[in-house]
Coordinates of all heavy atoms in Angstrom, one line a residue:
R16 N -131.0 136.2 -28.5 CA -130.0 136.7 -29.5 C -128.7 136.4 -29.0 O -127.8 136.0 -29.7 CB -130.2 138.2 -29.7 CG -129.3 138.8 -30.7 CD -129.6 140.3 -30.9 NE -128.7 140.9 -31.8 CZ -127.5 141.3 -31.5 NH1 -127.1 141.3 -30.3 NH2 -126.8 141.9 -32.4
A17 N -128.4 136.7 -27.6 CA -127.1 136.3 -27.1 C -126.8 134.8 -27.2 O -125.6 134.4 -27.4 CB -127.0 136.8 -25.7
S18 N -127.8 134.1 -27.0 CA -127.6 132.6 -27.1 C -127.1 132.2 -28.5 O -126.3 131.3 -28.6 CB -128.9 131.9 -26.7 OG -128.8 130.5 -26.9
V19 N -127.7 132.8 -29.5 CA -127.4 132.5 -30.9 C -126.0 132.9 -31.2 O -125.2 132.3 -31.8 CB -128.4 133.1 -31.8 CG1 -127.9 133.0 -33.3 CG2 -129.8 132.4 -31.7
L20 N -125.6 134.1 -30.7 CA -124.3 134.6 -30.9 C -123.2 133.9 -30.2 O -122.1 133.9 -30.6 CB -124.3 136.1 -30.6 CG -125.1 137.1 -31.4 CD1 -125.1 138.5 -31.0 CD2 -124.6 137.0 -32.9
R21 N -123.5 133.3 -29.1 CA -122.5 132.6 -28.3 C -122.0 131.3 -28.9 O -120.9 130.9 -28.5 CB -122.9 132.3 -26.8 CG -122.9 133.5 -25.9 CD -121.6 133.9 -25.5 NE -121.0 133.0 -24.5 CZ -119.9 133.2 -23.9 NH1 -119.2 134.3 -24.1 NH2 -119.4 132.4 -23.0
G22 N -122.9 130.7 -29.7 CA -122.4 129.5 -30.3 C -122.5 128.3 -29.4 O -123.6 128.0 -28.8
R23 N -121.4 127.7 -29.1 CA -121.4 126.3 -28.3 C -121.7 126.6 -26.8 O -122.1 125.7 -26.1 CB -120.1 125.6 -28.4 CG -118.9 126.4 -27.9 CD -117.7 125.6 -28.1 NE -116.6 126.3 -27.6 CZ -115.8 125.8 -26.6 NH1 -116.0 124.6 -26.2 NH2 -114.8 126.5 -26.1
D24 N -121.6 127.9 -26.2 CA -121.9 128.2 -24.9 C -123.2 128.9 -24.8 O -123.4 129.8 -24.0 CB -120.8 129.2 -24.3 CG -119.5 128.5 -24.3 OD1 -119.4 127.3 -24.2 OD2 -118.4 129.2 -24.4
S25 N -124.2 128.4 -25.5 CA -125.5 129.0 -25.6 C -126.5 128.5 -24.5 O -127.6 129.1 -24.4 CB -126.1 128.9 -27.0 OG -126.4 127.5 -27.2
F26 N -126.1 127.5 -23.7 CA -127.0 126.9 -22.9 C -127.5 127.8 -21.8 O -128.7 127.8 -21.4 CB -126.5 125.6 -22.3 CG -125.9 124.6 -23.3 CD1 -124.7 124.4 -23.5 CD2 -126.9 124.0 -24.1 CE1 -124.2 123.6 -24.5 CE2 -126.4 123.2 -25.1 CZ -125.1 122.9 -25.3
Y27 N -126.6 128.6 -21.2 CA -127.1 129.4 -20.0 C -128.0 130.5 -20.5 O -128.9 130.8 -19.8 CB -125.8 130.0 -19.4 CG -124.9 129.0 -18.8 CD1 -123.7 128.7 -19.3 CD2 -125.2 128.3 -17.7 CE1 -122.9 127.7 -18.8 CE2 -124.5 127.3 -17.1 CZ -123.3 127.1 -17.7 OH -122.5 126.1 -17.1
S28 N -127.7 131.1 -21.6 CA -128.6 132.2 -22.1 C -130.0 131.7 -22.5 O -131.0 132.2 -22.2 CB -128.0 132.9 -23.3 OG -126.8 133.5 -22.9
A29 N -130.0 130.5 -23.0 CA -131.2 129.9 -23.5 C -132.1 129.5 -22.3 O -133.3 129.6 -22.2 CB -131.0 128.7 -24.4
A30 N -131.3 128.9 -21.2 CA -132.1 128.5 -20.0 C -132.6 129.8 -19.3 O -133.8 129.7 -18.8 CB -131.1 127.8 -19.1
A31 N -131.9 130.8 -19.3 CA -132.4 132.1 -18.7 C -133.7 132.6 -19.4 O -134.6 133.1 -18.8 CB -131.3 133.2 -18.6
A32 N -133.6 132.5 -20.8 CA -134.8 133.0 -21.5 C -136.0 132.1 -21.3 O -137.1 132.6 -21.1 CB -134.4 133.0 -23.0
S33 N -135.8 130.8 -21.2 CA -136.9 129.9 -20.9 C -137.4 130.1 -19.5 O -138.6 130.0 -19.3 CB -136.5 128.5 -21.2 OG -135.5 128.1 -20.3
C34 N -136.5 130.4 -18.6 CA -137.0 130.6 -17.2 C -137.8 131.9 -17.2 O -138.9 131.9 -16.5 CB -135.7 130.8 -16.3 SG -136.2 131.2 -14.6
L35 N -137.5 132.9 -17.9 CA -138.2 134.1 -17.9 C -139.5 133.9 -18.6 O -140.6 134.4 -18.1 CB -137.4 135.2 -18.6 CG -137.9 136.6 -18.5 CD1 -138.0 137.1 -17.1 CD2 -136.9 137.6 -19.2
V36 N -139.6 133.2 -19.6 CA -140.9 132.8 -20.2 C -141.8 132.1 -19.2 O -143.0 132.4 -19.1 CB -140.7 132.1 -21.5 CG1 -142.0 131.5 -22.1 CG2 -140.1 133.0 -22.7
S37 N -141.2 131.2 -18.5 CA -142.0 130.4 -17.5 C -142.5 131.3 -16.4 O -143.7 131.1 -15.9 CB -141.2 129.3 -16.9 OG -140.7 128.3 -17.9
L38 N -141.7 132.2 -16.0 CA -142.1 133.1 -14.9 C -143.3 134.1 -15.5 O -144.2 134.4 -14.6 CB -141.0 134.0 -14.5 CG -140.0 133.3 -13.6 CD1 -138.8 134.3 -13.3 CD2 -140.6 132.9 -12.3
I39 N -143.3 134.4 -16.7 CA -144.3 135.3 -17.2 C -145.7 134.5 -17.3 O -146.7 135.0 -16.9 CB -144.0 135.8 -18.7 CG1 -142.9 136.8 -18.6 CG2 -145.3 136.4 -19.4 CD1 -142.3 137.1 -20.0
V40 N -145.6 133.2 -17.7 CA -146.8 132.4 -17.7 C -147.3 132.1 -16.2 O -148.4 132.2 -16.0 CB -146.5 131.1 -18.5 CG1 -147.6 130.1 -18.3 CG2 -146.2 131.3 -19.9
L41 N -146.3 131.8 -15.4 CA -146.7 131.5 -14.0 C -147.4 132.7 -13.2 O -148.2 132.6 -12.4 CB -145.5 131.0 -13.2 CG -145.1 129.6 -13.3 CD1 -143.9 129.3 -12.5 CD2 -146.3 128.7 -12.9
A42 N -147.0 133.9 -13.7 CA -147.5 135.1 -13.1 C -149.0 135.3 -13.3 O -149.7 135.8 -12.5 CB -146.8 136.4 -13.6
F43 N -149.5 134.7 -14.4 CA -150.9 134.8 -14.7 C -151.7 133.6 -14.2 O -153.0 133.8 -14.0 CB -151.1 134.9 -16.2 CG -150.7 136.3 -16.7 CD1 -149.5 136.3 -17.5 CD2 -151.4 137.4 -16.5 CE1 -149.1 137.5 -18.0 CE2 -151.0 138.6 -17.0 CZ -149.9 138.6 -17.8
I44 N -151.1 132.5 -13.9 CA -151.9 131.4 -13.5 C -151.6 130.7 -12.1 O -152.4 129.8 -11.7 CB -151.8 130.2 -14.6 CG1 -150.3 129.8 -14.7 CG2 -152.3 130.7 -16.0 CD1 -150.2 128.6 -15.5
H45 N -150.6 131.2 -11.5 CA -150.2 130.6 -10.2 C -149.8 131.6 -9.2 O -149.2 132.7 -9.6 CB -149.1 129.6 -10.5 CG -149.1 128.5 -9.5 ND1 -148.4 128.5 -8.3 CD2 -149.6 127.2 -9.6 CE1 -148.5 127.3 -7.7 NE2 -149.2 126.6 -8.4
V46 N -150.1 131.4 -7.9 CA -149.6 132.4 -6.9 C -148.3 132.0 -6.1 O -148.1 132.6 -5.2 CB -150.7 132.5 -5.9 CG1 -152.0 133.3 -6.5 CG2 -151.1 131.3 -5.2
S47 N -147.6 131.0 -6.7 CA -146.4 130.6 -6.0 C -145.3 131.5 -6.1 O -144.2 131.4 -5.5 CB -146.0 129.2 -6.5 OG -145.6 129.2 -7.8
L48 N -145.4 132.6 -7.0 CA -144.4 133.6 -7.1 C -144.2 134.4 -5.9 O -143.1 135.1 -5.7 CB -144.7 134.5 -8.3 CG -144.7 133.9 -9.7 CD1 -145.1 135.0 -10.7 CD2 -143.3 133.4 -9.9
F49 N -145.1 134.4 -4.9 CA -145.0 135.1 -3.7 C -144.2 134.4 -2.6 O -143.9 134.9 -1.6 CB -146.4 135.4 -3.1 CG -147.2 136.4 -4.1 CD1 -148.3 136.0 -4.7 CD2 -146.6 137.6 -4.4 CE1 -148.9 136.8 -5.6 CE2 -147.3 138.5 -5.3 CZ -148.5 138.1 -5.8
G50 N -143.9 133.1 -2.9 CA -143.0 132.3 -1.9 C -141.6 132.9 -2.0 O -141.2 133.7 -2.7
A51 N -140.7 132.2 -1.2 CA -139.4 132.7 -1.3 C -138.5 131.9 -2.2 O -137.4 132.4 -2.7 CB -138.8 132.5 0.2
T52 N -138.8 130.6 -2.5 CA -137.9 129.7 -3.3 C -137.9 130.1 -4.7 O -136.8 130.2 -5.3 CB -138.4 128.3 -3.1 OG1 -138.5 127.9 -1.7 CG2 -137.5 127.4 -3.8
L53 N -139.0 130.3 -5.3 CA -139.1 130.5 -6.8 C -138.4 131.8 -7.2 O -137.7 131.8 -8.1 CB -140.5 130.5 -7.2 CG -140.7 130.5 -8.8 CD1 -140.1 129.3 -9.4 CD2 -142.2 130.5 -9.1
P54 N -138.6 132.9 -6.5 CA -137.9 134.2 -6.9 C -136.4 134.1 -6.8 O -135.6 134.6 -7.6 CB -138.4 135.2 -6.0 CG -139.8 134.8 -5.6 CD -139.7 133.3 -5.5
V55 N -135.9 133.4 -5.7 CA -134.5 133.2 -5.5 C -133.9 132.4 -6.6 O -132.9 132.8 -7.2 CB -134.2 132.6 -4.1 CG1 -132.7 132.2 -4.0 CG2 -134.6 133.5 -3.0
L56 N -134.5 131.3 -7.0 CA -134.0 130.4 -8.1 C -134.1 131.2 -9.4 O -133.2 131.1 -10.3 CB -134.9 129.1 -8.2 CG -134.6 128.1 -7.1 CD1 -135.5 126.9 -7.3 CD2 -133.2 127.6 -7.3
A57 N -135.1 132.0 -9.6 CA -135.3 132.8 -10.9 C -134.2 133.8 -11.0 O -133.5 134.0 -12.1 CB -136.6 133.4 -10.9
V58 N -133.8 134.5 -9.9 CA -132.8 135.5 -9.9 C -131.4 134.8 -10.2 O -130.6 135.4 -10.9 CB -132.8 136.3 -8.6 CG1 -131.5 137.1 -8.5 CG2 -134.0 137.2 -8.6
I59 N -131.2 133.7 -9.6 CA -129.9 133.0 -9.9 C -129.8 132.6 -11.3 O -128.8 132.8 -12.0 CB -129.8 131.8 -8.9 CG1 -129.6 132.3 -7.5 CG2 -128.7 130.9 -9.4 CD1 -129.8 131.1 -6.5
I60 N -130.9 132.0 -11.8 CA -130.8 131.5 -13.2 C -130.7 132.7 -14.2 O -129.9 132.7 -15.2 CB -132.1 130.7 -13.5 CG1 -132.0 129.4 -12.8 CG2 -132.2 130.4 -15.1 CD1 -133.3 128.5 -12.8
L61 N -131.4 133.8 -14.0 CA -131.3 134.9 -14.8 C -130.0 135.6 -14.8 O -129.5 136.1 -15.7 CB -132.5 135.9 -14.5 CG -133.9 135.4 -15.0 CD1 -134.9 136.4 -14.4 CD2 -134.0 135.3 -16.5
G62 N -129.5 135.7 -13.5 CA -128.2 136.3 -13.4 C -127.1 135.6 -14.1 O -126.2 136.1 -14.7

Side-chain angles (χ1 to χ4, degrees):
R16 182 177 180 275
S18 175
V19 169
L20 292 177
R21 283 287 285 185
R23 65 184 180 119
D24 294 331
S25 64
F26 303 110
Y27 295 109
S28 299
S33 64
C34 177
L35 193 54
V36 168
S37 298
L38 285 175
I39 292 170
V40 171
L41 279 175
F43 289 108
I44 61 173
H45 209 273
V46 291
S47 67
L48 291 177
F49 297 115
T52 307
L53 190 60
V55 170
L56 286 174
V58 167
I59 290 170
I60 293 171
L61 289 173

